[in-house]
Amino acid sequence: MKKTVCAALFLCGVFVFSQENIKSDTIDQTKTAEIQEVIIKSQRKKQFADKAVYTFDKAALEKARYAKDLLRTLPELQLDPVSNTLKSTKGGTSLFLINGIEATDMQIRSIAPSEVVKVEYYDIPPARWATRADTVINVITRSTETGYVFGTDVMTALNTGFVNGSAYANFTKGKNNFGLEYSMNLRDYDNRRVRSIYDYQLDNSHYLSDENKKDHFGYTSQNIALRYTRMVPDNYSFQAKLNMDILQTFVNGKGESTFTKDDVTEGHTMMKRGGTDYVTPTLDLYFSKKLSKKDELSLNVVGSHFTTDTSEFTKEWITSSGNSVFDNDMNLTAKQTGFVGEIAHTHDFEGGKLSSGYRISNTSISNDLQNLAGFSQYKVNYLEQYFYTEFSGKIEKFTYRVGAGLTNIHNKSAETTFDEWSITPKVILGYQLKGNQSLRFTSSYKPKSPWSAALSSNVVQMAPNIVQKGNPFLKSQLTWGNNLIYSLNNKYFDFNANLFYSDTRRTINQFYVMDDTFGGYALTYENAKSSKQYGLQLTGSYKPFGNNLLVIKAMVAPSSETVRTSKGALIKNNYIANNLELSSEYKSFSLQYQVNIPVYLLSGAFLNTNENANHVFVNYKHKDWTFSTGLYWIGMPSEYKTKSLPESVVNYSRNSQIMNNKSMFVLGFSYDFSKGKKTDMQKKLNNSTAPAATF
């Protein structure tokens, strides 16, 4: 009882401050695999220098419908009820694997809880994933010779266009596995309200544009995946996967604007329509061969070729006369080819493990563009090469992982070519403290290439005298990141305190500048001199009763961020990121409640709030069926706010609310059936080509 009371007081203090086919599991049978020496031992968690390993007791396995339910119990993972996918409470990108294979949400669902041996949670990803994800979750399973699984899941709102649906099927016979998946997310909102204000000085005159718009927007995102796997234990593994992403988006809106120049005010009417459409076929081939008991070689090749069509038509005119203020008609057809190839080798030594590899990725885009500047045809090419090697091991109470990489970024646009080589070292040190505590330190240095929209030559009219465009002359940014992490784990707590500091050079920054081509101002990108981010992030879970009857998951991160612009101006923002989830499990029922307090985060010339959350959802499980209901954004619409910084030459603000999902009531069900067990291969490489280039 004393421990429970003390823990409760600690959490209260934090929130007041925040206001804001493998025959068996072979990994544990080797002496060295990643960092295999245990730092912390507890009933269900082992803490390593770069990861935590979770196992599950009989009660947890019996309550779960599938492996996804087990992952939801991890202290730094939670279910996003809007997308019905798992995400990290810390934010950032999460990558999910099954026995080392990059896995979809439905693949995780297809694993029966009894087949889960353990889950590896990498909060410090190994070198081969470090450039792709902030967190890596690897589900280790058992496997046998034959069996099949299938299931479906549907969640829909009753009074607006909101549908999440999926279906999957897997069949295994002998050394062969066949899988088929389909998922669909539909959004159709006809009541989004947006207020935007532009306030600026131009040619010795004061301008103010106050816009109020209502629009109908949405999207339909579909994914179809077909895969074949063949595995000969202790010899080789082969997988071929054909993936098809289909996306259609649309927007159709109208509104009114009060436009003021000095003391003269006039009423404007505006309209906007547009959309994006693409179908992305991707072929993913993987092969792994055991060269000896201590050596393994893996190959991965991914390719895609598709066309993206993007259109946007905006118009503004004087209401009384009908005279045009501006017409913006933008049409972009981008033919895109992507390729990723990777080769990796691992060797087990008596005292550690050596991993080395080389990855090359290339994206080539041919653009046919019609915009304010007229018609143009141009090509861009983004090439990145990555050599890496790392060694992990143990010296008495210390565990370590030391890595060195070499990254080449070669971006070629119609205007310029950027080519640069960067050394990317990484060091991870772990030390066991008394009891179930550990201390870890990590330091890394890595580049980040500009995204396609930032490099684009496209120009879009946003408001009178205001356009938006990219900057083809951008260089990559370089980040040095450091973390000092304290971990505590017992029956009641699974807690991490991360003291972090990062320093970025040539930060990619968005800001307003005078535009000589079109007159007025342009919102574009620059390489700022530097940026820094530092703070303390507290994450984890607390179980007052030592079980899942009540679980409190929280993330609180008092932080500070600064940007030094190319002209030397210093921009600073302080915030307390936060997230809270309360959950309860009792027999066949489960309940989750999620809430946060949105905070402003620095994004170039703007401060943007993260998405607000106030959701509750309930599940009831009966045999192979699960019935769900929920209420999202209780008492509020989803809301997104943006405001410019005092240093900006254009004083801009925007407040967007989707009224359709205010107190949105949803109902759903899922059916999951399995017979026998399936074969899972342990894939060492996972890659994907670049997403569709849009503006």
Side-chain angles (χ1 to χ4, degrees):
M1 177 60 71
K2 184 177 179 181
K3 290 183 178 179
T4 303
V5 172
C6 292
L9 290 174
F10 171 78
L11 278 178
C12 290
V14 168
F15 287 115
V16 169
F17 171 71
S18 70
Q19 293 294 309
E20 199 306 86
N21 206 317
I22 305 173
K23 295 181 179 179
S24 62
D25 177 25
T26 59
I27 291 183
D28 284 338
Q29 296 173 1
T30 60
K31 293 185 178 180
T32 57
E34 300 303 326
I35 300 175
Q36 205 55 277
E37 184 64 27
V38 174
I39 296 177
I40 295 175
K41 294 184 178 181
S42 67
Q43 182 182 2
R44 58 184 299 270
K45 179 183 179 181
K46 296 179 181 180
Q47 181 67 61
F48 298 74
D50 60 344
K51 67 182 177 183
V53 177
Y54 291 89
T55 56
F56 305 92
D57 57 25
K58 182 179 179 182
L61 296 175
E62 290 177 347
K63 287 183 179 180
R65 295 168 292 173
Y66 33 62
K68 184 177 176 180
D69 283 348
L70 297 176
L71 295 185
R72 288 171 56 181
T73 67
L74 269 59
E76 293 183 349
L77 289 181
Q78 68 178 22
L79 180 70
D80 179 4
V82 180
S83 63
N84 194 32
T85 57
L86 293 166
K87 66 178 183 180
S88 172
T89 58
K90 300 187 299 182
T93 303
S94 297
L95 179 65
F96 292 89
L97 315 172
I98 299 174
N99 294 328
I101 309 174
E102 186 170 346
T104 64
D105 183 78
M106 283 180 289
Q107 285 177 267
I108 298 173
R109 280 182 53 195
S110 69
I111 303 173
S114 60
E115 295 307 300
V116 177
V117 176
K118 62 185 179 182
V119 173
E120 298 175 331
Y121 180 86
Y122 290 90
D123 55 354
I124 307 172
R128 64 178 177 266
W129 298 309
T131 59
R132 299 188 52 213
D134 303 291
T135 305
V136 175
I137 301 93
N138 186 24
V139 183
I140 305 297
T141 69
R142 300 179 180 89
S143 58
T144 53
E145 292 301 317
T146 189
Y148 58 87
V149 296
F150 59 86
T152 186
D153 185 293
V154 177
M155 178 73 75
T156 181
L158 300 184
N159 58 350
T160 191
F162 177 95
V163 179
N164 291 332
S166 63
Y168 66 90
N170 280 294
F171 175 71
T172 300
K173 186 172 179 60
K175 300 178 178 62
N176 304 291
N177 172 260
F178 301 88
L180 177 63
E181 300 171 12
Y182 172 78
S183 65
M184 185 268 290
N185 300 98
L186 181 145
R187 304 292 185 267
D188 192 340
Y189 296 137
D190 61 2
N191 190 6
R192 177 172 63 175
R193 301 176 186 178
V194 182
R195 185 184 182 189
S196 303
I197 297 176
Y198 296 88
D199 188 352
Y200 53 92
Q201 294 286 137
L202 182 64
D203 296 332
N204 297 320
S205 294
H206 175 246
Y207 290 84
L208 177 65
S209 179
D210 189 345
E211 305 174 352
N212 285 279
K213 294 182 286 187
K214 178 181 178 181
D215 63 26
H216 179 195
F217 83 101
Y219 64 84
T220 301
S221 174
Q222 301 177 80
N223 176 267
I224 304 171
L226 176 65
R227 69 181 178 277
Y228 165 72
T229 303
R230 177 172 174 82
M231 179 176 174
V232 179
D234 300 320
N235 189 357
Y236 73 88
S237 302
F238 171 76
Q239 178 175 275
K241 182 178 180 180
L242 180 62
N243 191 76
M244 190 82 70
D245 285 312
I246 306 170
L247 178 68
Q248 293 176 311
T249 72
F250 71 90
V251 61
N252 191 356
K254 58 183 180 179
E256 297 178 348
S257 170
T258 300
F259 184 75
T260 302
K261 178 180 179 181
D262 294 328
D263 296 327
V264 180
T265 300
E266 59 188 17
H268 290 185
T269 303
M270 61 187 67
M271 62 85 67
K272 178 179 180 178
R273 66 172 181 264
T276 298
D277 189 356
Y278 64 75
V279 177
T280 309
T282 302
L283 180 63
D284 185 340
L285 300 176
Y286 169 81
F287 179 76
S288 179
K289 173 70 174 177
K290 291 286 282 186
L291 303 178
S292 67
K293 290 183 178 181
K294 295 185 177 182
D295 292 271
E296 185 173 5
L297 186 67
S298 302
L299 300 170
N300 186 211
V301 177
V302 183
S304 65
H305 179 74
F306 60 99
T307 300
T308 301
D309 292 311
T310 303
S311 65
E312 180 178 308
F313 179 72
T314 56
K315 182 178 181 180
E316 186 168 328
W317 64 93
I318 300 173
T319 306
S320 58
S321 65
N323 292 335
S324 176
V325 176
F326 70 79
D327 288 296
N328 173 54
D329 191 0
M330 188 273 291
N331 290 277
L332 172 64
T333 299
K335 296 181 180 180
Q336 184 168 328
T337 301
F339 170 81
V340 180
E342 185 171 4
I343 181 171
H345 173 261
T346 61
H347 178 80
D348 291 330
F349 293 93
E350 186 68 23
K353 182 174 183 177
L354 179 67
S355 301
S356 303
Y358 167 73
R359 181 171 67 244
I360 181 171
S361 62
N362 189 80
T363 301
S364 178
I365 307 174
S366 176
N367 299 278
D368 290 350
L369 175 64
Q370 176 71 50
N371 62 7
L372 294 172
F375 179 77
S376 62
Q377 290 180 316
Y378 64 96
K379 293 182 179 181
V380 295
N381 195 85
Y382 310 129
L383 173 68
E384 183 170 326
Q385 300 180 79
Y386 179 45
F387 299 86
Y388 61 89
T389 184
E390 64 179 4
F391 184 84
S392 57
K394 174 183 179 294
I395 302 175
E396 296 181 350
K397 290 186 178 182
F398 287 92
T399 55
Y400 63 91
R401 195 175 87 206
V402 180
L406 185 63
T407 301
N408 171 241
I409 294 176
H410 184 94
N411 293 334
K412 184 177 181 180
S413 67
E415 290 84 359
T416 187
T417 297
F418 172 77
D419 185 88
E420 183 177 70
W421 290 86
S422 303
I423 299 175
T424 54
K426 189 168 191 175
V427 176
I428 302 170
L429 303 175
Y431 181 72
Q432 179 184 358
L433 301 174
K434 290 184 179 180
N436 50 357
Q437 303 173 77
S438 72
L439 196 63
R440 297 178 289 156
F441 172 76
T442 175
S443 181
S444 64
Y445 183 79
K446 60 183 180 181
K448 180 182 178 181
S449 180
W451 48 98
S452 60
L455 290 167
S456 173
S457 302
N458 197 7
V459 182
V460 176
Q461 188 88 42
M462 306 299 294
N465 304 316
I466 305 289
V467 299
Q468 179 181 351
K469 60 184 181 181
N471 179 4
F473 297 94
L474 285 176
K475 301 178 180 179
S476 63
Q477 64 181 32
L478 305 166
T479 301
W480 176 45
N482 301 273
N483 298 271
L484 181 62
I485 307 169
Y486 166 77
S487 299
L488 168 67
N489 172 243
N490 56 38
K491 182 178 179 181
Y492 302 97
F493 271 107
D494 196 326
F495 170 76
N496 289 310
N498 180 11
L499 188 65
F500 63 91
Y501 171 81
S502 66
D503 189 337
T504 302
R505 301 296 172 181
R506 299 195 313 227
T507 305
I508 299 171
N509 185 49
Q510 194 175 31
F511 72 128
Y512 285 103
V513 296
M514 288 294 299
D515 184 72
D516 297 330
T517 304
F518 301 99
Y521 293 98
L523 178 62
T524 187
Y525 296 86
E526 70 164 358
N527 281 112
K529 289 184 177 180
S530 65
S531 65
K532 293 180 174 63
Q533 188 175 29
Y534 53 90
L536 175 65
Q537 185 181 69
L538 307 174
T539 59
S541 66
Y542 169 55
K543 299 180 179 181
F545 307 107
N547 55 36
N548 290 333
L549 184 62
L550 176 62
V551 181
I552 303 171
K553 292 185 180 181
M555 183 278 290
V556 179
S559 309
S560 181
E561 52 187 355
T562 61
V563 173
R564 180 75 67 178
T565 68
S566 60
K567 295 183 178 180
L570 181 65
I571 301 170
K572 186 173 183 178
N573 179 48
N574 298 320
Y575 63 93
I576 303 177
N578 61 91
N579 185 57
L580 173 65
E581 176 182 289
L582 305 177
S583 65
S584 178
E585 292 184 8
Y586 179 72
K587 294 184 177 180
S588 298
F589 289 92
S590 64
L591 169 71
Q592 287 84 34
Y593 173 68
Q594 297 177 3
V595 66
N596 69 6
I597 302 174
V599 296
Y600 279 101
L601 302 175
L602 192 60
S603 177
F606 307 105
L607 291 168
N608 298 325
T609 59
N610 54 314
E611 185 179 76
N612 54 318
N614 190 25
H615 316 310
V616 62
F617 45 107
V618 181
N619 294 323
Y620 172 72
K621 178 185 177 184
H622 179 70
K623 295 183 180 179
D624 297 324
W625 294 85
T626 302
F627 302 93
S628 307
T629 186
L631 196 63
Y632 300 163
W633 290 288
I634 302 171
M636 63 180 72
S638 59
E639 186 173 35
Y640 314 89
K641 296 180 180 180
T642 298
K643 62 181 180 181
S644 59
L645 296 159
E647 293 83 0
S648 176
V649 294
V650 175
N651 184 12
Y652 170 76
S653 65
R654 173 187 168 100
N655 187 10
S656 175
Q657 295 179 317
I658 304 175
M659 305 306 296
N660 297 84
N661 53 31
K662 179 180 179 180
S663 299
M664 185 173 67
F665 180 67
V666 297
L667 286 173
F669 73 89
S670 67
Y671 177 76
D672 300 274
F673 179 82
S674 63
K675 183 177 181 180
K677 304 170 186 178
K678 65 181 185 305
T679 298
D680 284 308
M681 62 189 288
Q682 187 171 355
K683 184 178 177 184
K684 302 298 182 182
L685 304 176
N686 305 276
N687 293 288
S688 60
T689 56
T694 59
F695 186 80

